[in-house]
Amino acid sequence: MRVRDSALLECGVLTELLAEAGAVGFAEEEGVLIAYIPADVYSPEAVESVVGNFDGVAVERCECLPPKNWNELWESNFTPLMLEVGGRTLRIRASFHAPTVGGEELVIDPRMAFGTGHHATTRLMLEWLLGLPDPIESCLDIGCGSGILAILAAKRGARRVVALDYDIWAVENARENAALNGVEGVEVLHADLHALPQEQFQLMLANLTKNLLLDNLERLVATVRPGGLIAMSGFYEADALALEKAASSLGLRKERECTAEGWEMMVFLRTA
């Protein structure tokens, strides 16, 4: 789609609304926004309803892409990632990369699921987990994707880790990655935000969109014990204030925030 207002692309509102309409990926080329929507969820009416909110935005064309070997594509683009926080290092690699000599590592084969650490939202969460001074007792990872955050929590000493995702491909991939890293104790559930575990955790990890966080924050808070932490990301820096206000109204106190590439990550303490 042609977007005449460059500020509209930069603020992220258009991509966020298209994501709610089913888009799972985006690319920008000189004022043209390319949105990728799976064929089984694509709705011309939903896309047009988004575009109709903005002047100077028009859908130029819609085409169905031929099947691709997505595994081959991500393998060709997935380079190992090195993180360093407070003297601790973590190398994230795929199973086809050479093993790390010394230091910590995560082995992640993302396949059809999101999460290699290269995207700013995942990287911010990983860096925070890596820098935690004390072991984690229990952790709930919401929208786990490849399982990368849950696996690091387990490697940081969490005795109980539950990860969930509504996408069955992500669930299977997270289980595979947990086994690759020797943390088979990570429990991966096929569930959505309306079927959260009936228990409370010391830490919740929620790398979700702004609207998913706002719409479900009360039920998310209920799964964190008093004195526990909620780390959330997946939203733009411009959306942080709305989330902070919602969190404060539910008795959460902001402990930390950081940004990268326009994306935000915040950590809240449940005070009661």
Side-chain angles (χ1 to χ4, degrees), residues 6-21:
S6 61
L8 184 58
L9 288 176
E10 293 172 1
C11 73
V13 173
L14 180 57
T15 53
E16 184 170 335
L17 291 175
L18 287 169
E20 293 175 10

Side-chain angles (χ1 to χ4, degrees), residues 3-269:
V3 183
R4 297 191 182 94
D5 186 354
S6 61
L8 184 58
L9 288 176
E10 293 172 1
C11 73
V13 173
L14 180 57
T15 53
E16 184 170 335
L17 291 175
L18 287 169
E20 293 175 10
V24 297
F26 301 95
E28 295 178 22
E29 296 179 357
E30 299 180 351
V32 174
L33 177 68
I34 302 171
Y36 297 92
I37 304 177
D40 59 343
V41 299
Y42 172 67
S43 165
E45 294 78 14
V47 172
E48 289 295 341
S49 69
V50 170
V51 172
N53 290 316
F54 305 98
D55 294 328
V57 180
V59 177
E60 291 196 334
R61 72 177 189 274
C62 175
E63 59 183 290
C64 185
L65 298 179
K68 285 188 177 181
N69 185 337
W70 294 107
N71 283 347
E72 181 180 334
L73 183 62
W74 70 253
E75 285 182 9
S76 66
N77 289 285
F78 185 7
T79 57
L81 176 68
M82 183 70 75
L83 303 178
E84 184 172 355
V85 179
R88 300 177 66 97
T89 60
L90 176 70
R91 182 174 181 255
I92 302 168
R93 66 175 180 90
S95 59
F96 53 83
H97 293 131
T100 303
V101 179
E104 297 182 66
E105 73 169 8
L106 292 180
V107 182
I108 300 294
D109 286 350
R111 304 194 189 282
M112 296 294 287
F114 175 83
T116 63
H118 290 77
H119 192 276
T121 58
T122 312
R123 188 171 68 252
L124 288 169
M125 299 279 272
L126 289 167
E127 289 174 339
W128 178 73
L129 279 172
L130 190 62
L132 285 177
D134 301 315
I136 304 160
E137 294 180 15
S138 59
C139 175
L140 176 63
D141 182 8
I142 304 292
C144 64
S146 69
I148 188 170
L149 298 177
I151 293 167
L152 181 58
K155 282 182 167 286
R156 291 302 318 274
R159 294 193 293 269
R160 174 155 175 74
V161 179
V162 177
L164 63 86
D165 204 295
Y166 74 94
D167 185 337
I168 188 59
W169 294 104
V171 170
E172 294 179 359
N173 186 212
R175 289 170 178 165
E176 292 171 357
N177 286 325
L180 279 175
N181 287 273
V183 288
E184 297 179 359
V186 174
E187 183 179 2
V188 186
L189 306 177
H190 184 210
D192 61 21
L193 293 173
H194 296 278
L196 298 175
Q198 297 300 305
E199 60 181 293
Q200 292 186 320
F201 296 81
Q202 180 195 10
L203 171 64
M204 169 182 288
L205 305 171
N207 191 6
L208 304 169
T209 65
K210 178 197 74 173
N211 286 343
L212 279 176
L213 287 167
L214 286 174
D215 293 344
N216 297 279
L217 193 56
E218 187 171 0
R219 63 168 56 97
L220 295 179
V221 171
T223 64
V224 178
R225 72 190 191 196
L229 298 171
I230 300 178
M232 60 178 73
S233 190
F235 51 92
Y236 293 104
E237 185 178 0
D239 298 321
L241 183 58
L243 282 161
E244 185 175 348
K245 287 181 177 179
S248 178
S249 72
L250 294 172
L252 302 181
R253 186 179 73 209
K254 186 173 70 174
E255 297 288 295
R256 175 186 173 90
E257 67 177 323
C258 50
T259 61
E261 300 167 22
W263 297 90
E264 179 95 3
M265 192 273 282
M266 293 192 290
V267 180
F268 295 92
L269 174 71

